[in-house]
Amino acid sequence: MQALGVVSVSHHAVRLPTVRAGIAEPSGEPAPMGQKTKYSDSFFDKLFMRIFTRKMEEVTGKKTELDGYEGLVEISRKVMQGRTPLQQRAAVRHVLLSTLPPGAPEQFRKLFPPTKWSAEFNAFITIPVFQWLVGPCELQEVEVNGTMQKSMVKIKKCRYLENSGCVGMCVNMCKVPTQDFFTKEFGLPLSMTPNFEDMSCEMAFGKMPASLDEDPAFKQPCFESICSMATPQSSVCPKMKASVDSMQPESVVA
């Protein structure tokens, strides 16, 4: 089912097709916290899942017998196994680069310098392109350097976090490498702020990400009831603690 939304990009009204990312819930919205959202993925959703899963299999040298989103999550766990946080992020970077044509980062920097327009446009196209990965999301305003701009993508309930149930996987396999990829490879700052209370997330294009030692995401404990790798005795997710210990002096800012 498809609805139409309108967003202003470079002073022009543009119609944005906002699908509900295959939500199969009767309400058309993600399930409440504590319940797993039901999805009905399209052919193209499954195609993107297959492409990313195969790319990650190339990185790990391992295979998954699962299909669809379950296969993507399982192979993500295998990427984490036996790798430090730095190595996990390097693996994700390799996967992201492998999906792009040669010279894409350089071309991106030329086409999209770090301006308000670039931030708003990339937020605009993120919604229809990546809902298969993160679930339904919407465009919102955010303050960047004292100016309000429509460059924030609000993810209602992140599908990746919901299905993995792992704080460390969220931060090491999604948040930090995605921030780094846009900020460092593409030259367009991106800050991602996951909310571990309701599994929502705010992606603010044009906004510099916080340094790792100041980022509250690195102080988050495990989801004890849903994470198979949880360590209840730890005040911080063990996958995260290793990340903080090894990278605290470093900033993700380019």
Side-chain angles (χ1 to χ4, degrees), residues 230-244:
T231 304
Q233 296 80 14
S234 177
S235 60
V236 177
C237 169
K239 299 289 184 182
M240 302 277 289
K241 188 175 187 304
S243 177
V244 173

Side-chain angles (χ1 to χ4, degrees), residues 29-180:
E29 298 292 332
M33 185 66 174
Q35 300 177 32
K36 186 173 288 188
T37 305
K38 296 177 182 178
Y39 285 86
S40 178
D41 296 308
S42 70
F43 168 81
F44 289 104
D45 292 334
K46 294 176 182 178
L47 178 62
F48 283 124
M49 293 172 196
R50 189 176 300 115
I51 291 172
F52 269 73
T53 300
R54 296 297 173 264
K55 292 293 184 181
M56 295 179 79
E57 285 180 335
E58 293 174 7
V59 170
T60 61
K62 299 178 181 179
K63 299 288 184 181
T64 174
E65 299 301 321
L66 299 178
D67 294 322
Y69 208 87
E70 291 75 14
L72 178 64
V73 171
E74 183 185 57
I75 202 66
S76 295
R77 288 197 179 95
K78 291 183 178 182
V79 171
M80 294 184 74
Q81 293 171 358
R83 287 180 171 83
T84 66
L86 279 173
Q87 292 170 334
Q88 292 167 32
R89 293 166 197 164
V92 175
R93 175 181 178 275
H94 177 77
V95 169
L96 293 174
L97 285 173
S98 70
T99 64
L100 301 175
E106 292 78 10
Q107 289 301 316
F108 186 98
R109 285 173 176 265
K110 292 179 181 178
L111 291 171
F112 302 107
T115 64
K116 176 183 176 181
W117 182 89
S118 294
E120 290 185 331
F121 182 77
N122 277 273
F124 169 76
I125 63 174
T126 291
I127 292 177
V129 173
F130 288 105
Q131 287 199 86
W132 67 269
L133 178 62
V134 300
C137 41
E138 59 187 19
L139 203 62
Q140 294 186 358
E141 282 193 322
V142 63
E143 184 176 341
V144 178
N145 299 324
T147 301
M148 297 303 296
Q149 57 189 48
K150 213 158 193 178
S151 65
M152 185 171 77
V153 176
K154 177 62 179 287
I155 301 168
K156 296 183 179 182
K157 187 183 184 187
C158 181
R159 187 176 186 180
Y160 192 68
L161 178 57
E162 181 181 37
N163 279 264
S164 68
C166 179
V167 171
M169 191 179 295
C170 164
V171 174
N172 293 328
M173 298 289 291
C174 181
K175 170 183 158 63
V176 175
T178 304
Q179 288 182 163
D180 276 357

Side-chain angles (χ1 to χ4, degrees), residues 199-216:
M199 294 188 173
S200 66
C201 185
E202 296 180 346
M203 298 178 64
F205 286 89
K207 185 176 181 180
M208 295 301 287
S211 60
L212 300 190
D213 58 332
E214 296 178 348
D215 195 326

